[in-house]
C-alpha cells in the first residue's frame, strides 16, 4: 500500500509540531545523510573524498 499525498501531509504536519520549524530542516538533512550512508554501505561504495587507507602489516 503506497503512501499518498494526504498521508504524507499528515506525517509532515506531525513532524513540524513535534520538532518545530527550526529543527525540521536539520532532521531532514540528517535523515537524508543516513539514508545515503545506508545505500552506500549496501552497494559497497564510499562517498568520501579521501581514498580508503589499506593497512599493511609491517
Amino acid at each position: 500500500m503506497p503512501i499518498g499525498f494526504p498521508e504524507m501531509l499528515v506525517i509532515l504536519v506531525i513532524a513540524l509540531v513535534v520538532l518545530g520549524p527550526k529543527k525540521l530542516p536539520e532532521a531532514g538533512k540528517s535523515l537524508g545523510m543516513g539514508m545515503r550512508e545506508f545505500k552506500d554501505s549496501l552497494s559497497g561504495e564510499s562517498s568520501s573524498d579521501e581514498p580508503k587507507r589499506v593497512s599493511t602489516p609491517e
Side-chain angles (χ1 to χ4, degrees), residues 12-32:
L12 289 174
V13 168
I14 291 173
L16 183 61
V17 168
V18 170
L19 296 175
K22 292 185 180 180
K23 293 284 185 176
L24 191 60
E26 183 179 320
K29 182 179 177 182
S30 64
L31 179 65

Side-chain angles (χ1 to χ4, degrees), residues 3 8 17 19 23 37 44 54:
I3 296 177
M8 188 66 72
V17 168
L19 296 175
K23 293 284 185 176
E37 288 179 12
V54 178

Side-chain angles (χ1 to χ4, degrees), residues 2-53:
I3 296 177
F5 180 73
E7 290 88 2
M8 188 66 72
L9 188 63
V10 169
I11 291 170
L12 289 174
V13 168
I14 291 173
L16 183 61
V17 168
V18 170
L19 296 175
K22 292 185 180 180
K23 293 284 185 176
L24 191 60
E26 183 179 320
K29 182 179 177 182
S30 64
L31 179 65
M33 288 175 54
M35 289 174 59
R36 183 179 305 123
E37 288 179 12
F38 179 72
K39 185 183 91 171
D40 288 346
S41 69
L42 288 179
S43 65
E45 297 178 8
S46 177
S47 63
S48 65
D49 291 351
E50 56 188 62
K52 291 183 180 178
R53 296 178 186 229

